[in-house]
Amino acid sequence: NAHMFYLLLPDLATRTRFINGMREHDIHPVFHYIPLHSAPSGRRSGRTAGELAVTDDISERLVRLPFWLGLEEHLPAILEIADAAIR
């Protein structure tokens, strides 16, 4: 998507390590995707037919990088931190 930089990491533990590693470099990525069926309004008003395992899985692995002009120059360092988090 053209309006954000994001990574899909292998699991929640890796995402947590990645976020912590980035914060050590004063970069503050966030996770912000909460599936509608998990959100308070979705639980009140929505309905599902069965479990939404793929949606839950992706929501735990997605991380959004801060968006600023020139971010592209920092992508190699960001990917190094991501690689360290995966190991």
Side-chain angles (χ1 to χ4, degrees), residues 55-74:
T55 302
D56 291 333
D57 176 57
I58 296 296
S59 74
E60 290 185 349
R61 300 186 304 137
L62 190 66
V63 63
R64 183 175 52 88
L65 300 174
F67 192 63
W68 75 90
L69 188 60
L71 175 65
E72 306 84 24
E73 298 170 24
H74 300 280

Side-chain angles (χ1 to χ4, degrees), residues 14 17-25 27 75-87:
T14 302
R17 285 192 304 275
F18 174 75
I19 289 173
N20 291 338
M22 293 292 286
R23 287 181 178 161
E24 290 174 8
H25 291 86
I27 300 171
L75 288 178
I78 289 168
L79 294 174
E80 269 187 46
I81 296 167
D83 186 50
I86 292 170
R87 294 175 191 229

